[in-house]
């Protein structure tokens, strides 16, 4: 029954105290949110912490949710805000390293397919934070431009431009290789 309900309907039920609705929301979005965090941060410890905080804020803020707002954009906004806060903190402390240290050296990579992944990570890391955020939300998380605009607090046109610039940059990186 719960699996046939929309995300918005599930959230309405959760606001009314239906714990099973939360379980279904968690089932639908748990892996997606964790994957989003990993793609943006790349550090499992940070991701685990922010994953828990995302769902804790969803729980604490459930009374603030408005059903006319798409739930998917709302939950990604929570996660994205936590990511931005974490990145600001890391920049301030001088520890803003998004990719794992041992994977950064191409000389250490064995040509077993990991090179393509490494190349993609390095190309993605060269994008601006906003471009990387938009491309991850669009291409890897499957959000529509309107949803990304809500998550990022931008216009749909601005999101479109960010994604176009990011794709252009990624194509240039591929052409150079």
């Amino acid at each position: 029954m719960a699996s046939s309900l929309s995300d918005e309907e599930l959230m309405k039920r959760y606001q009314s105290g239906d714990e099973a609705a939360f379980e279904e929301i968690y089932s639908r979005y748990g892996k997606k949110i964790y994957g989003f965090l990993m793609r943006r941060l790349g550090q499992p410890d940070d991701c685990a912490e922010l994953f828990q905080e995302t769902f804790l804020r969803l729980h604490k803020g459930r009374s603030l949710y408005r059903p006319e707002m798409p739930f998917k954009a709302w939950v990604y906004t929570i996660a994205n805000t936590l990511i931005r806060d974490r990145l600001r903190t890391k920049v301030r402390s001088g520890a803003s390293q998004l990719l794992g240290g041992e994977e950064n050296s191409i000389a250490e990579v064995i040509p077993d397919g990991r090179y393509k992944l490494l190349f993609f990570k390095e190309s993605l890391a060269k994008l601006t934070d906003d471009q990387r955020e938009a491309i991850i939300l669009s291409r890897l998380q499957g959000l529509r431009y309107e949803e990304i605009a809500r998550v990022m607090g931008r216009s749909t046109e601005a999101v479109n431009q960010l994604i176009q610039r990011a794709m252009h940059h990624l194509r240039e990186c591929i052409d150079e290789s």
Side-chain angles (χ1 to χ4, degrees), residues 87-131:
L87 292 175
R88 275 190 216 108
T89 301
K90 284 190 174 203
V91 166
R92 282 188 208 122
S93 70
S96 64
Q97 203 173 26
L98 295 179
L99 297 174
E102 64 274 354
E103 283 192 348
N104 285 334
S105 172
I106 292 178
E108 295 176 11
V109 177
I110 301 168
D112 62 359
R114 286 185 10 181
Y115 174 76
K116 288 182 181 180
L117 178 60
L118 176 62
F119 178 75
F120 176 73
K121 282 183 170 183
E122 288 177 345
S123 299
L124 202 59
K126 291 177 185 176
L127 299 174
T128 67
D129 288 341
D130 287 341
Q131 289 173 342

Side-chain angles (χ1 to χ4, degrees), residues 25-89:
I25 289 168
Y26 186 85
S27 173
R28 289 182 188 184
Y29 284 94
K31 288 181 181 178
K32 292 175 183 179
I33 294 296
Y34 188 80
F36 174 61
L37 294 167
M38 279 299 291
R39 287 181 184 102
R40 291 291 315 279
L41 296 172
Q43 302 295 327
D45 291 342
D46 288 347
C47 293
E49 184 181 331
L50 294 187
F51 176 80
Q52 290 177 357
E53 184 65 24
T54 298
F55 283 95
L56 181 61
R57 287 194 184 184
L58 182 148
H59 168 72
K60 287 181 177 179
R62 69 186 178 276
S63 64
L64 302 173
Y65 174 73
R66 295 180 329 274
E68 61 273 7
M69 180 181 191
F71 175 80
K72 187 176 188 180
W74 188 69
V75 73
Y76 274 98
T77 299
I78 294 170
N80 200 47
T81 300
L82 291 169
I83 290 168
R84 286 180 177 185
D85 291 347
R86 176 61 51 96
L87 292 175
R88 275 190 216 108
T89 301

